Amino acid sequence: MLITGIKSKPVYAPLQPDLRGRYHLMVGHGVGGEPLLRVLGDLQTAAPSSGAHTQILYVTDAAAADSITGQIRAAKVANVRLFERGDELLAAFQAVLAGSLMGTRLYVAGPESFMGLVMRIALQFNLNKDEIRAEECGTLARRVYCIHCCSATENVRTNITQCGCGRWLVVRDHYSRRLAAYMGVMVDAEAPGELPPVKEVFL
Amino acid sequence: MNVVFKPDETFRDDFTFRNSPEAIRRFPLPFPEDRYMYSVNIEEHLPGPPGSVIEFPIDIDEHYVAECRERALVLAEEPRRFQALPHMMSSQWDCLELIMESLARDYPQHFALERRGSRWVWTNRPLQIHQTFTFGDPATLPQEPLEYITRQAQGDWVVMDQREGDLWCEAGMVTTQADWSLDFDMGMSFKEWHGPVPLAHEMGVFDRALKFLLNLRLNEPVRRLNWTMTIHPRLDTSPENYYKWGPDRATVTPQNAGNKAHLRVELQGLWRLPRSNAIVFSIRAYLISMQELVTVPKWARRVHRVLRDLHPALVDYKGLSRYRDAVVEYLAPFDDGAPTSPGTAPE
Amino acid sequence: MNHADTIVVRVVAIEQVTPQIKHFTLAPAAGGNFPAFSGGSHIIVVMRGVNRIHRNPYSLMSSPGQLETYEVSVRRMEQSRGGSHFMHDQVQVGNELEIAHPVNLFPLDKIARKHLLIAGGIGITPFMAQLADLRTAGVPYELHYATRSPEHCAFGGLLSEREPGRVQKYYDCTGELIDFEGLLSNQPLGTHVYVCGPAPMIEKVVATARERGWPDSHIHWEQFSAPPVGDAFDVYLARSSLKVHVVPDQSLLESIEAAGVEVPYLCRGGVCGFCRTKVVEVDGTLVHNDHFLSDEEKASGKTIMPCVSRARCSKLVLDL
Ligand code: FES
């Protein structure tokens, strides 16, 4: 069974402004604020009037410097909204997409587990890879879907993890955008009780 | 062809599944040579010789009734083994039509389909089903169309929508799979879905296969064979139930391999569907124990050589690591080193 | 990939729907129903003329829910090289023709949140079948349909009747123009636009949509080129060791087929890329008329789409 090197694992790239877009929607979490500010700067340099068509949704996080939050709050764009919790942002994001027009580009930055939830909503609005850019930063902790009990565990940092159902799961690189999660499969099925050492790998 | 069913066979618990001598003779061995590596081995799904598994587009064999019961058992525990995204409804009807038309045409003694406009009457004698329904109206069937018809068909069925130059896995009935999960893979693109397969991506296999399938035409289905191994004649080797079947892998010895280890061959068929422009992918598993396999001397030699020399990445991917050596040891005495004739025919 | 299994059809009705468009209703000659299909599909109609065979692609217009007949409309091409003239002048009710199984190179996107259809003239044909699919799909859609004048507006009445409030018609003669800018600036996320019509219209829609930030994956167009008339030239088929003469009003593909050499094809209109053939040598210039090869590929001269393209030369050598 392949654990790493699976082709469904998403590939991310540093955010670049997409000047073909008419509307720019920037969504970030914690340390994701930095790349957002960078791409915002690049966008405004290349297209000085784009601020009128740009919105930012951002979750403040203790991990990010206060100066980042300050700069985001002061960004010269049509609309900036700050949230304390990810789920609040996701609800607002969904409402924004419902009123958005073709020509919108989505820029997402932050930990993968957060971006996965954002992109899962974008998927429901038929935004595809041509309309979404994503840059990973911050923790590599994963959202893991237990293939046996069908529940997701958040913030997994270790190679194996115990699911709520009691099973120890090995975390594979197989990723579902629809579930916004990696696959977790029972690690000691073939030899019950034989667990590899627990290692922090997703930091 | 009149198939004599073996309705009491089981694929779990006491595993009473066996192949009759006729079923062994028609087993679709996937190794035309003494060694195995991936290739884009897709060919037109044309009718094969009478009695072979490819005589008809959709094969019904002696295990039909027992396999349908096994599927019902899996679904009773895990309804998520059937899933379909809402935009796949027209492809579900396409699949229902494909399966009903094929079975009624090729096995008239077992199945019948009467079409009066959109009023259809379906008769499945082996399963004692008689259903009148309105084609296109899901409310007239006890389940969604794809679930309804694949409860009455052998093998797994996956429907892929075609858009953005890709194929998306967006509906299916998957209860007899070799370690992949429909629940997890729903909504994936062709390459995401095949992500866990080693080596083949680097070899460009999926690029070529995708390109080929995007141009698949109505009325020109294609097929290929794939294979792995399974301990016991267990059809449901899903990741969901890995904890149930995983332990079996550690129990194989050269002494019991003949009975326990099974070659599992998938006859995969692909059809373009007319109303939805989607593609249906049928994955039909055939099982044969090593004991049954060695009754054909050529096959014993060949499978011994293939397993002995298999690429390590494939040994791991196919989940053979724990027991490959035991099976090779079991088969070794049946391989006298004599050359095998080309092709897969028994001799 | 050649159409060994064509279906023999009988022409059961012909209607002159505009001064230039004839509408044909076909039924399977053997009785029964046609194969099912999806909106946007086309068929290749095989016409056996006196000394040549035409194979032209036409979009299926009938409802995919009704399979007793297939319907196609044919516009008489002024500079035709045969196919459309054959359909207009030779084909009578009761005649038999052959068709290949439907192929869909212009499908609707099944997860679109809205469909915006734009048709010009004869470009209405694929939409007629798609509309039948859309009426039951439960997703918003609208059609914008431009023609020269009400007289040229084929199926205008039918559309207004079937699609109340969803069709907007525009007539050149009264100066009504589709406001592409406005239309493409104001669509909800997840909209797909489909355009079929004359080349300038397609170019305008594609360019405007891109300029308004639409990604290409949301822009769909279909345009079957009729193979244009050109100069005569000779083609050498290297692998078959054959020399074939291509006359001005016959396509390269037709000439090769007439010599008994098969080339795979799906659309015969420069769209699908199936007929792509390697050029071994040419002592003049290739005249590319397809919509498949990129500009760089065309400039490189390494391949040609013989269904619509030709050469201005005395000698062309193909890897066939
Ligand atoms: S046949 Fe489609 S491009 Fe030539």
Side-chain angles (χ1 to χ4, degrees):
Chain A
M1 182 169 65
L2 221 53
I3 306 294
T4 55
I6 294 178
K7 299 292 180 290
S8 58
K9 184 177 181 344
V11 184
Y12 304 99
L15 292 179
Q16 305 264 358
D18 183 350
L19 300 175
R20 288 165 304 179
R22 302 273 305 165
Y23 311 98
H24 303 274
L25 178 54
M26 303 188 171
V27 179
H29 190 301
V31 286
E34 252 182 270
L36 284 193
L37 286 166
R38 195 192 65 234
V39 73
L40 179 67
D42 292 350
L43 178 66
Q44 297 193 327
T45 308
S49 62
S50 60
H53 300 288
T54 303
Q55 290 193 67
I56 304 180
L57 309 181
Y58 178 66
V59 181
T60 56
D61 181 326
D66 287 347
S67 62
I68 302 267
T69 309
Q71 285 178 61
I72 288 182
R73 188 176 284 127
K76 293 199 174 37
V77 298
N79 189 16
V80 177
R81 294 170 69 185
L82 302 185
F83 303 87
E84 278 169 18
R85 297 199 348 235
D87 53 353
E88 293 167 358
L89 177 142
L90 294 175
F93 174 62
Q94 177 143 16
V96 168
L97 288 186
S100 294
L101 297 177
M102 281 305 293
T104 300
R105 290 297 181 278
L106 175 63
Y107 306 81
V108 200
E112 182 182 57
S113 54
F114 163 79
M115 295 199 295
L117 297 172
V118 170
M119 291 196 275
R120 181 166 69 164
I121 293 172
L123 203 63
Q124 290 161 13
F125 287 84
N126 193 0
L127 261 84
N128 63 26
K129 58 182 187 318
D130 303 331
E131 294 157 288
I132 304 177
R133 265 125 227 270
E135 177 170 342
E136 185 178 28
C137 50
T139 172
L140 298 182
R142 291 180 171 186
R143 208 166 167 265
V144 174
Y145 184 82
C146 172
I147 199 67
H148 312 294
C149 78
C150 307
S151 68
T153 307
E154 310 285 339
N155 278 318
V156 174
R157 292 166 185 279
T158 46
N159 57 333
I160 62 171
T161 183
Q162 193 167 26
C163 177
C165 67
R167 296 185 183 93
W168 280 91
L169 308 176
V170 57
V171 182
R172 308 180 68 195
D173 272 358
H174 198 25
Y175 184 82
S176 159
R177 288 176 298 109
R178 190 180 65 94
L179 299 169
Y182 286 93
M183 186 192 248
V185 184
M186 191 173 174
V187 65
D188 57 342
E190 297 187 15
E194 245 179 54
L195 298 179
V198 180
K199 278 188 280 188
E200 298 231 323
V201 287
F202 310 125
L203 296 177
Chain B
M1 191 176 59
N2 204 35
V3 188
V4 181
F5 301 111
K6 305 200 291 184
D8 299 324
E9 286 179 329
T10 57
F11 301 88
R12 53 174 74 204
D13 306 324
D14 56 352
F15 297 110
T16 60
F17 167 94
R18 298 290 178 276
N19 283 304
S20 67
E22 300 74 49
I24 293 175
R25 297 288 298 179
R26 77 199 292 273
F27 189 82
L29 194 80
F31 309 121
E33 306 171 340
D34 288 354
R35 52 182 298 280
Y36 173 79
M37 199 6 124
Y38 293 125
S39 57
V40 183
N41 55 340
I42 304 179
E43 59 178 353
E44 273 186 88
H45 192 20
L46 296 172
S52 70
V53 301
I54 51 170
E55 178 180 7
F56 301 120
I58 299 174
D59 181 44
I60 294 293
D61 67 12
E62 62 186 21
H63 311 298
Y64 173 74
V65 174
E67 281 193 39
C68 291
R69 192 189 42 244
E70 167 68 16
R71 168 156 290 161
L73 291 174
V74 174
L75 286 166
E77 285 172 21
E78 296 172 70
R80 298 156 83 96
R81 298 299 195 86
F82 166 79
Q83 291 192 35
L85 297 183
H87 62 272
M88 300 303 279
M89 189 48 88
S90 65
S91 68
Q92 291 200 44
W93 287 109
D94 276 331
C95 291
L96 176 135
E97 179 182 42
L98 171 71
I99 296 173
M100 286 187 177
E101 287 276 354
S102 302
L103 297 189
R105 181 189 59 232
D106 300 330
Y107 301 90
Q109 62 282 52
H110 300 305
F111 306 94
L113 177 65
E114 219 186 294
R115 297 171 60 155
R116 289 188 225 107
S118 61
R119 200 82 185 142
W120 291 27
V121 184
W122 167 244
T123 307
N124 177 335
R125 292 185 194 96
L127 298 183
Q128 298 171 2
I129 292 170
H130 189 78
Q131 177 82 41
T132 303
F133 64 99
T134 306
F135 187 86
D137 180 0
T140 59
L141 284 175
Q143 293 103 14
E144 288 192 34
L146 182 63
E147 176 174 357
Y148 176 78
I149 196 57
T150 54
R151 277 175 176 269
Q152 303 174 47
Q154 289 171 274
D156 288 340
W157 299 79
V158 178
V159 193
M160 301 180 284
D161 188 32
Q162 179 162 342
R163 55 176 194 271
E164 294 170 33
D166 210 331
L167 294 169
W168 305 84
C169 166
E170 293 182 321
M173 167 68 88
V174 179
T175 67
T176 67
Q177 71 267 48
D179 204 8
W180 70 279
S181 163
L182 177 73
D183 183 34
F184 193 79
D185 292 355
M186 273 293 275
M188 288 192 183
S189 70
F190 191 71
K191 286 186 204 161
E192 286 172 340
W193 180 28
H194 291 97
V197 184
L199 308 179
H201 290 270
E202 290 73 12
M203 293 167 62
V205 168
F206 293 116
D207 286 316
R208 272 174 287 152
L210 176 61
K211 199 163 174 209
F212 181 86
L213 292 176
L214 290 172
N215 289 311
L216 188 67
R217 297 165 59 159
L218 279 179
N219 222 26
E220 294 178 11
V222 296
R223 66 172 171 245
R224 69 181 285 263
L225 292 176
N226 196 10
W227 70 278
T228 185
M229 293 191 77
T230 300
I231 305 310
H232 296 306
R234 189 191 291 274
L235 282 174
D236 175 20
T237 48
S238 56
E240 283 89 335
N241 287 325
Y242 180 42
Y243 63 95
K244 294 183 188 163
W245 53 266
D248 297 345
R249 285 178 169 172
T251 66
V252 185
T253 64
Q255 291 69 42
N256 68 20
N259 179 33
K260 275 198 174 178
H262 287 66
L263 179 63
R264 173 195 185 97
V265 174
E266 294 176 353
L267 172 59
Q268 306 181 340
L270 293 132
W271 285 261
R272 170 74 64 195
L273 297 173
R275 293 173 182 78
S276 55
N277 202 42
I279 288 178
V280 62
F281 183 21
S282 85
I283 308 147
R284 167 70 178 280
Y286 294 85
L287 295 169
I288 190 170
S289 69
M290 290 300 106
Q291 228 164 310
E292 291 169 340
L293 182 102
V294 299
T295 60
V296 180
K298 170 178 163 185
W299 292 358
R301 291 185 190 108
R302 176 156 298 164
V303 173
H304 172 246
R305 294 167 199 177
V306 166
L307 288 179
R308 185 189 60 200
D309 305 334
L310 194 61
H311 190 293
L314 295 183
V315 172
D316 174 65
Y317 168 62
K318 292 182 185 285
L320 314 182
S321 309
R322 280 182 200 274
Y323 62 89
R324 192 256 312 242
D325 292 348
V327 178
V328 171
E329 198 177 326
Y330 170 80
L331 290 173
F334 298 95
D335 185 357
D336 54 8
T340 55
S341 58
T344 57
E347 205 70 81
Chain C
M1 290 292 166
N2 275 311
H3 310 270
D5 54 343
T6 52
I7 305 167
V8 181
V9 302
R10 178 167 296 116
V11 178
V12 293
I14 301 176
E15 195 191 341
Q16 184 90 42
V17 286
T18 77
Q20 285 157 329
I21 299 175
K22 271 191 176 179
H23 184 69
F24 297 82
T25 305
L26 315 172
N33 280 354
F34 279 117
F37 68 99
S38 50
S41 299
H42 72 269
I43 50 172
I44 302 282
V45 177
V46 185
M47 296 159 251
R48 297 190 188 277
V50 189
N51 43 25
R52 61 187 274 200
I53 301 173
H54 306 282
R55 290 185 178 86
N56 284 22
Y58 297 112
S59 295
L60 283 175
M61 299 181 62
S62 36
S63 162
Q66 181 283 114
L67 298 170
E68 278 147 39
T69 56
Y70 277 170
E71 294 170 35
V72 297
S73 273
V74 180
R75 183 181 125 107
R76 190 186 183 92
M77 308 303 269
E78 276 95 43
Q79 301 187 334
S80 168
R81 10 83 43 206
S84 74
H85 281 213
F86 186 95
M87 288 296 281
H88 272 257
D89 304 337
Q90 312 275 314
V91 175
Q92 310 281 335
V93 170
N95 285 172
E96 286 192 352
L97 296 165
E98 282 160 58
I99 64 167
H101 279 82
V103 169
N104 200 342
L105 298 175
F106 192 49
L108 293 168
D109 185 289
K110 291 235 175 32
I111 61 166
R113 297 177 66 239
K114 179 178 175 184
H115 302 277
L116 180 63
L117 315 180
I118 300 174
I122 189 72
I124 189 65
T125 55
F127 294 129
M128 295 301 285
Q130 290 184 335
L131 287 166
D133 281 341
L134 287 173
R135 277 195 287 277
T136 54
V139 176
Y141 64 93
E142 58 192 55
L143 168 69
H144 298 262
Y145 179 22
T147 51
R148 269 192 240 171
S149 68
E151 188 202 11
H152 286 90
C153 186
F155 319 105
L158 196 64
L159 282 168
S160 307
E161 193 179 297
R162 283 188 195 161
E163 307 285 344
R166 287 203 164 113
V167 181
Q168 196 149 347
K169 290 176 234 160
Y170 305 78
Y171 302 121
D172 296 352
C173 64
T174 53
E176 296 165 289
L177 297 175
I178 302 181
D179 173 15
F180 295 121
E181 285 279 323
L183 211 50
L184 293 164
S185 300
N186 231 332
Q187 297 298 334
L189 219 49
T191 304
H192 284 248
V193 64
Y194 307 81
V195 55
C196 187
M201 175 188 242
I202 293 175
E203 281 156 26
K204 178 85 179 129
V205 169
V206 172
T208 309
R210 282 186 184 150
E211 192 262 316
R212 309 307 293 183
W214 293 54
D216 284 356
S217 51
H218 286 246
I219 308 170
H220 311 267
W221 49 272
E222 181 163 75
Q223 180 188 31
F224 290 136
S225 306
V229 177
D231 301 337
F233 60 100
D234 284 331
V235 55
Y236 297 79
L237 309 182
R239 278 188 281 133
S240 338
S241 310
L242 275 177
K243 177 183 159 184
V244 179
H245 184 66
V246 185
V247 298
D249 69 341
Q250 192 166 25
S251 76
L252 181 51
L253 179 60
E254 287 169 334
S255 316
I256 295 168
E257 285 170 342
V261 175
E262 299 225 320
V263 180
Y265 64 83
L266 277 188
C267 71
R268 300 182 79 90
V271 178
C272 71
F274 253 62
C275 66
R276 187 172 187 163
T277 301
K278 278 206 196 95
V279 175
V280 180
E281 188 191 327
V282 59
D283 70 351
T285 49
L286 299 175
V287 183
H288 293 288
N289 295 310
D290 65 277
H291 310 286
F292 184 83
L293 296 175
S294 67
D295 289 344
E296 298 85 76
E297 286 170 325
K298 286 180 183 172
S300 82
K302 289 199 182 110
T303 53
I304 188 169
M305 317 303 283
C307 64
V308 288
S309 300
R310 21 192 332 124
R312 209 171 291 118
C313 65
S314 56
K315 182 182 175 192
L316 168 67
V317 185
L318 294 180
D319 180 31
L320 283 171

